[in-house]
Amino acid sequence: MATYKKRGYKPKNKAEEQEFDVKDSTTAEVFSTLDESASKTEAWVSKNQNYILGVIGAIAIGVLGYLAYNQFVQKPKETSAANELYYPQQYFDQAMANEANKDSLLNLALVGSEGKYGFLDIIEEYKGTKAANLANYSAGMAYLNTQNYQEAISYLENFSSDDAVLGALAKGAIGDSFSQLNQAEDALDYYEKAIAHNANAYTTPKYLYKAGITAMNLGYTDKALEFFERIQNDFSSANEANNIEALIGSVKK
């Protein structure tokens, strides 16, 4: 059991007196060491205070600069870019609903009209914004619909999104572009990326079907069967499942 030295307490014998002396000496040594460490720390801080203050100042300036940039540069830029995106997107939407004038409307969406920016202008002038990222997607889709497949691939590859549908559609559209260029291996690769991007009832059966047809044409019957059977098992209510049994039968022959 530990022994505590109470105020006014006198040791009972010489051995106990020596024990308390040793404890007092140890305690004094500990405090002396702490004092010495504190003194060294204070000395180091005193010697390097300009450096420390400089580092703290640099961090503070960096944080304030970042906040100021976001508030006074990036936010207004994002707002302006989003406003500019409205006009070419209108042309794009009209093109998708007007087959007769599709190409001319898509061209206006790409290059702009009446002093308004097109997708290509927004990509160039508003780099790093969400609107410029979306403009890459829309430009890619416009080029795909006007049969400019290399340009479609280029812009769609510059688009990034975690969105379940939009991200898959972009990858699938790259697959379509490669397919039109008769690069079936690359097309299959991007169809598989579209499938892996997100599992949903809209894009997944769509690209499982395209991947299956492409794999079948390449002679990859096992892969084709895997894609078709997944449609049959997991997406039986999708349009792509309508003739899936016939496709499965043709692959198994």
Side-chain angles (χ1 to χ4, degrees), residues 24-92:
D24 287 342
S25 175
T26 301
T27 302
E29 185 178 340
V30 169
F31 278 108
S32 176
T33 301
L34 291 173
D35 287 341
E36 185 178 347
S37 297
S39 297
K40 287 180 179 179
T41 301
E42 289 172 2
W44 185 87
V45 170
S46 178
K47 181 180 178 181
N48 296 280
Q49 62 179 338
N50 289 336
Y51 171 77
I52 294 169
L53 292 173
V55 170
I56 293 172
I59 293 171
I61 290 170
V63 171
L64 290 173
Y66 173 77
L67 294 173
Y69 176 82
N70 271 345
Q71 184 65 32
F72 300 110
V73 178
Q74 190 63 22
K75 280 187 178 180
K77 189 177 179 182
E78 289 281 0
T79 301
S80 179
N83 289 336
E84 292 286 356
L85 186 62
Y86 172 80
Y87 297 99
Q89 195 63 48
Q90 291 290 100
Y91 285 123
F92 183 91

Side-chain angles (χ1 to χ4, degrees), residues 148-161:
N148 293 292
Y149 302 119
Q150 289 289 4
E151 290 86 349
I153 292 167
S154 177
Y155 283 98
L156 288 167
E157 283 184 335
N158 286 330
F159 171 72
S160 62
S161 176

Side-chain angles (χ1 to χ4, degrees), residues 43-190:
W44 185 87
V45 170
S46 178
K47 181 180 178 181
N48 296 280
Q49 62 179 338
N50 289 336
Y51 171 77
I52 294 169
L53 292 173
V55 170
I56 293 172
I59 293 171
I61 290 170
V63 171
L64 290 173
Y66 173 77
L67 294 173
Y69 176 82
N70 271 345
Q71 184 65 32
F72 300 110
V73 178
Q74 190 63 22
K75 280 187 178 180
K77 189 177 179 182
E78 289 281 0
T79 301
S80 179
N83 289 336
E84 292 286 356
L85 186 62
Y86 172 80
Y87 297 99
Q89 195 63 48
Q90 291 290 100
Y91 285 123
F92 183 91
D93 293 343
Q94 290 171 30
M96 294 299 101
N98 188 339
E99 192 65 34
N101 298 313
K102 180 191 267 188
D103 285 1
S104 60
L105 287 167
L106 287 174
N107 185 61
L108 291 174
L110 285 166
V111 301
S113 174
E114 299 178 358
K116 299 296 184 182
Y117 279 173
F119 294 135
L120 303 183
D121 299 306
I122 293 168
I123 292 166
E124 183 63 29
E125 297 295 327
Y126 293 98
K127 291 177 181 176
T129 63
K130 294 175 182 177
N133 185 44
L134 285 171
N136 272 308
Y137 173 80
S138 295
M141 297 302 286
Y143 279 125
L144 175 61
N145 279 277
T146 53
Q147 300 178 15
N148 293 292
Y149 302 119
Q150 289 289 4
E151 290 86 349
I153 292 167
S154 177
Y155 283 98
L156 288 167
E157 283 184 335
N158 286 330
F159 171 72
S160 62
S161 176
D162 292 329
D163 183 80
V165 173
L166 211 56
L169 286 174
K171 291 177 174 62
I174 296 174
D176 290 341
S177 298
F178 276 123
S179 181
Q180 291 297 326
L181 292 169
N182 295 316
Q183 295 177 229
E185 292 279 3
D186 294 315
L188 179 58
D189 180 49
Y190 271 93

